[in-house]
Amino acid sequence: MKRNSLADLRRQYDCGPVKFSGHNEALYERHLAFDQVVPTSEASVRNKFEAVALSLRDVLSQRWIKTEHTYRQRNAKRVYYLSMEYLMGRALSNNFINLRLEPLVADLVKARHRLNPLEIMEQEPDAGLGNGGLGRLAACFLDSMATLGIPGMGYGLRYEYGIFKQAIRDGWQNEQPDHWLARPDPWEVARPDEAVKVRINCSFAIKGGALCVVQDRPSVLIGVPFDRPVVGYGGKTINTLRLWAARAPETFDFAQFSSGDFVGALAETLTAETLTRVLYPDDSTLAGKGLRFLQEYFLVACSLADLVRRFREAGNGWPALADKAAIQLNDTHPALAVPELMRILLDEAELGWHDAWTLTRRTLAYTNHTLLPEALETWPVEWFERLLPRHLEIIYEINRLFLADIRLGFPGDEGRVERVSLIGEGPQRHVRMVNLAIVGTHSTNGVAALHTELIKRRLAPDLAEIFPERFNNKTNGVTQRRFLLAANPPLARAVTDAIGEGWVTEPARFAELKPLADDPAFRDTVRAAKREAKTRLVDWLTRDGGPSVDPDTVFDVQIKRIHEYKRQLMNALHIVVLYRRLLANPKLDVPPRTFFFAGKAAPGYRFAKLVIKFINNLADVIDSDPAMKGRLKVVFIPDYRVSVAERLIPASDVSEQISTAGYEASGTSNMKFMMNGALTMGTRDGANIEIAETVGEENLFLFGLTAEQVAGGASWYSPQWHYDNEPETRDALDLIAADRFSRRELGLFTPILAALLHDGDCYRHLADLTDYGLAHRRLGELYADPAAWTRKAVLNIASSGRFSSDRTIAEYAKEIWQVEPCPVDKEGVH
């Protein structure tokens, strides 16, 4: 495929006064002068970044306007994606690539300013809008919607602070504020004229120096939208991510302020601005949970008000709502959309109950992302009574009518009635958000085949029996544009040289690589690309003051949120086993390995933070042992984020996907790794199963219990048996008990030993440890044969097209949303 010339791009974008071909430098200088107000000779690197980003925004703005104009003109059915998280990553490099404007970068680099692209791009913080796979998936979905030309809009919250910056001090996680908006964000556009009002049934005041709730005194919050462009590949469609910031009405008690009670007069302002201050407040406290509840309602209320405005301004009547809007709930966080949309249709549209309920269910769809009991949201009825009494009335009525139908269909089965009820009874009555989301929508999907089956068998078997037609699977996917084309240029070039550029927008084309797995020349090219990616990672670590790492070792990587079910601890236990083997036999013939860990633990999750400490202490002990030099190394990379993933994933040889079977909904890092030629070390969990089906089990390393075996052994599993009967397991645990990894902190890791041996080992670390070790032996034997290893790596890349988010979104569009692409007009806006 021939790349567009700058002149072609000029015509494609119809950018008016924006000039290409020789004028890029003037464009950049104009932004330095008129936006940064600095002479070019004195511009800081940050000034340069903002000027480059604004220059790029100039290029895309006209097409962004055209996209919205086309949707309005055609009254297209739109997808509205509601998510509490979006891990977008850095926008500058991604937008350059998706707009195919690499020549503009070259112009600026060659100009007299001698810009350093890497230095410029490093100035952009990762947008602090998420903390894990849920948010990264949402970002991939927005990218795919725009690339496929699907009229879509993301809705989220504009958190002023991200989850937190993670520093490691003496091996412990230390949380620091992530003020990613401390400097102006050149991508966002404030839309104060489209602000919405959100009414709640309480207000706030300062009493005794503390902020408290004043019940039955209604107040108003203002949601101010900030828009960010979502550029589809080729720039033909530019959709919008709209983020809501909370503000108070521009009033306060002037008399109270004048009397000297400054804080009291501004209580409402302080409360409103706190609402979107921080991503996911610590929900280990009652106050933190309450703030999160209010955040979720604020997102839903602002987003539904906005999309209803768009729907009505297009001249649509209320009966057409489900034909013009598809609202996807990304997990239960936005499940309050069910009563909120009912409130709008009942109280504002003045529809009857039957019509309102039919429209609500037809318009809303729900994606479930977890089976973990602690992650299944429930909210106290008391909170609804205080803040959202009208919504509670609606939920009660939905439940009354629903349970009446259940009693008719299943007479005498009061156990079923209790299980499916939207209200959980007990000492504190609560609203079950999963049940509300399933009952109030027309579609409930899981995100991997196994996960969807577990939803139907374990999470909601009664509801799956009642509404079998609503349950479906949509296996997750990732965008190959960010995680291969942008993140791994050497491998992307190799793929393009072999099969052309079609894979960038047609992921099924990856399959054309399969015959090349047996081509020695292509294997050499892939191996060289991997070596280059590893060298880039090593250089980055060294440049940032990190550890020195040998790129000729096996790079074995586990990058995930730190949680017991993801089993970073089992990985670390296996490293202890390897350490003991090498101590016992220094001449052991195994490939040298570097184990990388990265991920954050929730601030209140003490055990996860102890695991981080254990990994770092383990790293220190191994580093200080001369016998391990060149044989074994452990590296914990702090402050894991998208930009770190974009460096680690291309450099990885091994992808650790070792969650306890039945606990990981899907995983998406497994897909990013395979796309970049890493081999999966994994359990039969989440999407690992489908990856194995697609590439062949012989091309990855599967081990461990199945989900059925984990569940079936719950009543009889004994971790002590593994200690008594497996010498390497016993020796590893004894080494921890002897404080080998905590010599200056005696007994520090006793809670880890207790969790494994005395508290049931809930996540089956010891049950899978030996089989995990055997899988690693097979891995080491294969790595000794570079041709055989690279052959499997190529087959993984060739099989990765199935796990593109383009495929996932196409399935959502056809099977859930019933929405068609809407090509954007090429003519100018009139």
Side-chain angles (χ1 to χ4, degrees):
M1 183 187 297
K2 180 179 178 291
R3 285 189 178 275
N4 292 339
S5 67
L6 290 178
D8 292 335
L9 285 167
R10 167 69 174 82
R11 287 190 293 271
Q12 179 186 0
Y13 284 92
D14 189 23
C15 292
V18 178
K19 304 293 183 182
F20 294 100
S21 296
H23 292 276
N24 299 324
E25 191 171 357
L27 176 64
Y28 164 75
E29 290 175 348
R30 179 172 67 82
H31 280 295
L32 276 181
F34 294 105
D35 293 311
Q36 306 301 309
V37 196
V38 295
T40 55
S41 60
E42 298 178 14
S44 68
V45 180
R46 174 69 196 194
N47 293 146
K48 294 174 183 177
F49 157 69
E50 291 188 26
V52 171
L54 289 168
S55 300
L56 184 56
R57 205 180 84 178
D58 285 348
V59 172
L60 64 82
S61 292
Q62 187 73 357
R63 176 60 58 170
W64 196 6
I65 292 170
K66 286 181 182 180
T67 300
E68 178 63 21
H69 174 79
T70 301
Y71 295 166
R72 289 180 182 177
Q73 190 178 51
R74 298 183 188 173
N75 194 15
K77 182 175 184 178
R78 302 201 201 193
V79 176
Y80 298 101
Y81 198 81
L82 272 63
S83 179
M84 285 284 282
E85 292 189 42
Y86 291 94
L87 268 175
M88 302 302 291
R90 290 169 172 163
L92 183 60
S93 58
N94 194 69
N95 287 346
F96 266 123
I97 286 174
N98 276 8
L99 288 168
R100 307 190 71 182
L101 289 180
E102 296 97 323
L104 193 151
V105 181
D107 282 358
L108 292 172
V109 170
K110 294 174 183 176
R112 66 175 180 271
H113 305 295
R114 301 294 183 191
L115 298 182
N116 181 331
L118 180 61
E119 184 181 50
I120 294 295
M121 291 173 185
E122 287 286 330
Q123 288 296 304
E124 182 175 13
D126 286 51
L129 301 170
N131 76 339
L134 182 83
R136 186 53 238 171
L137 178 76
C140 287
F141 280 6
L142 294 187
D143 176 280
S144 288
M145 276 190 262
T147 296
L148 296 175
I150 291 173
M153 188 167 192
Y155 282 119
L157 296 182
R158 183 180 179 267
Y159 306 106
E160 187 176 340
Y161 292 84
I163 181 170
F164 57 83
K165 282 187 177 180
Q166 181 195 54
I168 301 298
R169 294 181 180 172
D170 192 28
W172 291 100
Q173 171 178 290
N174 179 265
E175 300 100 20
Q176 301 171 353
D178 175 23
H179 196 186
W180 73 281
L181 284 173
R183 301 291 295 270
D185 181 359
W187 303 111
E188 69 176 14
V189 179
R191 307 283 192 189
D193 291 344
E194 296 182 11
V196 301
K197 294 181 178 180
V198 176
R199 291 174 172 81
I200 55 177
N201 194 50
C202 67
S203 57
F204 302 88
I206 304 293
K207 293 184 179 178
L211 191 68
C212 63
V213 175
V214 180
Q215 198 168 345
D216 296 324
R217 193 175 79 184
S219 63
V220 173
L221 298 169
I222 305 297
V224 180
F226 289 78
D227 290 349
R228 297 172 63 88
V230 180
V231 181
Y233 187 74
K236 296 177 182 178
T237 295
I238 300 181
N239 284 336
T240 299
L241 170 59
R242 172 158 285 194
L243 303 174
W244 298 100
R247 300 287 184 267
E250 294 182 359
T251 59
F252 65 93
D253 191 330
F254 188 77
Q256 191 177 10
F257 186 88
S258 298
S259 69
D261 186 5
F262 308 129
V263 175
L266 294 172
E268 299 287 352
T269 299
L270 294 172
T271 303
E273 294 180 354
T274 297
L275 187 60
T276 52
R277 184 85 67 194
V278 179
L279 165 69
Y280 278 24
D282 182 359
D283 61 5
S284 63
T285 67
L286 190 62
K289 290 178 181 177
L291 180 56
R292 184 162 172 177
F293 175 69
L294 197 52
Q295 281 184 339
E296 292 182 2
Y297 177 63
F298 183 73
L299 167 64
V300 162
C302 290
S303 303
L304 264 59
D306 190 63
L307 70 88
V308 164
R309 173 186 60 79
R310 294 170 188 275
F311 167 75
R312 295 294 283 166
E313 285 179 351
N316 298 304
W318 290 108
L321 179 63
D323 299 317
K324 294 298 179 183
I327 303 172
Q328 189 70 34
L329 310 180
N330 194 28
D331 220 344
T332 55
H333 310 141
L336 285 167
V338 176
E340 175 66 6
L341 186 53
M342 282 293 289
R343 184 197 64 78
I344 292 170
L345 296 175
L346 292 170
D347 299 351
E348 297 179 14
E350 298 182 341
L351 299 182
W353 181 274
H354 178 267
D355 290 340
W357 183 234
T358 300
L359 280 176
T360 294
R361 286 186 291 111
R362 287 183 57 212
T363 304
L364 298 174
Y366 161 56
T367 299
N368 174 277
H369 284 280
T370 185
L371 303 171
L372 290 176
E374 65 267 26
L376 301 176
E377 289 187 312
T378 63
W379 295 117
V381 166
E382 180 185 1
W383 291 6
F384 281 88
E385 292 170 340
R386 290 185 177 185
L387 274 71
L388 305 172
R390 176 57 175 148
H391 296 75
L392 184 60
E393 289 178 353
I394 291 170
I395 291 170
Y396 278 158
E397 183 62 7
I398 294 171
N399 200 43
R400 185 186 71 80
L401 295 172
F402 173 57
L403 295 186
D405 287 341
I406 298 304
R407 288 188 170 101
L408 285 175
F410 302 90
D413 192 348
E414 286 302 306
R416 181 187 299 265
V417 170
E418 191 283 326
R419 292 191 299 271
V420 301
S421 175
L422 308 188
I423 307 298
E425 305 295 340
Q428 184 185 55
R429 302 177 74 231
H430 52 273
V431 179
R432 296 165 167 166
M433 304 309 287
V434 170
N435 288 13
L436 177 64
I438 294 173
V439 171
T441 64
H442 71 276
S443 169
T444 292
N445 73 277
V447 292
L450 174 63
H451 174 235
T452 298
E453 285 305 306
L454 293 176
I455 290 173
K456 293 190 286 187
R457 295 204 312 261
R458 295 186 193 172
L459 179 65
D462 297 296
L463 291 169
E465 183 182 355
I466 295 164
F467 304 118
E469 73 288 350
R470 296 189 188 181
F471 288 79
N472 62 96
N473 179 59
K474 298 290 174 283
T475 297
N476 282 342
V478 299
T479 169
Q480 66 273 22
R481 288 167 290 278
R482 179 178 282 274
F483 289 102
L484 180 51
L485 183 63
N488 197 347
L491 184 58
R493 283 194 300 271
V495 172
T496 297
D497 289 345
I499 63 173
E501 291 185 333
W503 62 273
V504 178
T505 54
E506 301 172 62
R509 298 281 297 277
F510 275 109
E512 296 172 19
L513 292 171
K514 286 184 180 179
L516 297 178
D518 295 311
D519 182 337
F522 185 69
R523 290 200 302 261
D524 288 346
T525 302
V526 170
R527 200 154 47 243
K530 179 65 69 175
R531 184 60 164 72
E532 184 176 342
K534 293 171 80 169
T535 301
R536 284 168 46 221
L537 174 65
V538 169
D539 291 345
W540 172 72
L541 286 170
T542 304
R543 188 172 65 248
D544 278 18
S548 176
V549 176
D550 182 358
D552 291 319
T553 60
V554 180
F555 280 15
D556 187 307
V557 180
Q558 187 175 17
I559 45 176
K560 294 176 178 293
R561 177 169 51 91
I562 309 297
H563 195 290
E564 286 166 275
Y565 87 83
K566 294 180 183 289
R567 298 203 294 192
Q568 288 91 352
L569 178 57
M570 186 175 73
N571 190 345
L573 291 173
H574 173 248
I575 295 170
V576 175
V577 170
L578 289 179
Y579 174 56
R580 279 194 54 82
R581 284 181 192 165
L582 289 170
L583 287 176
N585 182 6
K587 295 182 179 180
L588 189 65
D589 185 19
V590 293
R593 304 190 190 191
T594 302
F595 290 89
F596 290 92
F597 294 84
K600 297 178 181 179
Y605 194 171
R606 291 188 179 90
F607 191 86
K609 295 168 85 167
L610 186 63
V611 169
I612 292 175
K613 171 66 171 171
F614 178 63
I615 292 168
N616 282 298
N617 278 25
L618 176 61
D620 289 343
V621 169
I622 290 173
D623 257 0
S624 64
D625 190 333
M628 296 300 112
K629 187 173 178 62
R631 308 296 306 277
L632 186 62
K633 189 174 184 66
V634 177
V635 176
F636 189 97
I637 298 180
D639 203 29
Y640 180 57
R641 55 199 186 277
V642 176
S643 56
V644 173
E646 290 169 341
R647 296 180 183 279
L648 265 172
I649 291 171
S652 301
D653 296 304
V654 180
S655 162
E656 295 280 353
Q657 308 295 331
I658 58 176
S659 55
T660 311
Y663 283 85
E664 183 73 82
S666 167
T668 51
S669 70
N670 46 8
M671 303 166 186
K672 298 165 194 168
F673 279 108
M674 77 175 296
M675 190 177 284
N676 281 271
L679 302 192
T680 301
M681 170 67 64
T683 49
R684 291 171 176 83
D685 197 27
N688 288 355
I689 295 172
E690 290 156 87
I691 289 174
E693 291 171 351
T694 304
V695 71
E697 287 198 11
E698 69 277 10
N699 294 309
L700 36 72
F701 305 95
L702 294 179
F703 71 93
L705 302 174
T706 65
E708 290 74 16
Q709 289 170 329
V710 170
S715 62
W716 55 261
Y717 170 63
S718 171
Q720 186 67 41
W721 184 93
H722 295 281
Y723 179 87
D724 293 338
N725 291 278
E726 295 171 348
E728 287 197 320
T729 296
R730 180 171 59 251
D731 290 347
L733 295 178
D734 286 349
L735 207 60
I736 298 169
D739 290 309
R740 172 65 68 90
F741 309 107
S742 52
R743 286 175 174 167
R744 291 178 296 173
E745 306 155 292
L746 301 182
L748 178 64
F749 300 123
T750 299
I752 288 178
L753 297 170
L756 294 174
L757 290 173
H758 309 305
D759 299 336
D761 185 22
C762 299
Y763 297 102
R764 304 298 194 272
H765 296 79
L766 301 188
D768 278 352
L769 181 58
T770 296
D771 200 19
Y772 180 48
L774 293 173
H776 267 281
R777 285 183 187 269
R778 298 196 301 273
L779 183 155
E781 292 165 0
L782 180 68
Y783 195 81
D785 183 346
W789 180 279
T790 309
R791 182 181 183 277
K792 292 181 185 295
V794 172
L795 290 173
N796 271 268
I797 300 167
S799 300
S800 64
R802 177 179 173 184
F803 302 101
S804 166
S805 51
D806 294 355
R807 185 270 312 156
T808 311
I809 286 299
E811 291 179 1
Y812 272 94
K814 179 181 179 181
E815 299 169 18
I816 295 179
W817 301 331
Q818 288 83 50
V819 65
E820 298 287 338
C822 181
V824 176
D825 295 336
K826 293 185 177 181
E827 300 302 320
V829 178
H830 301 288

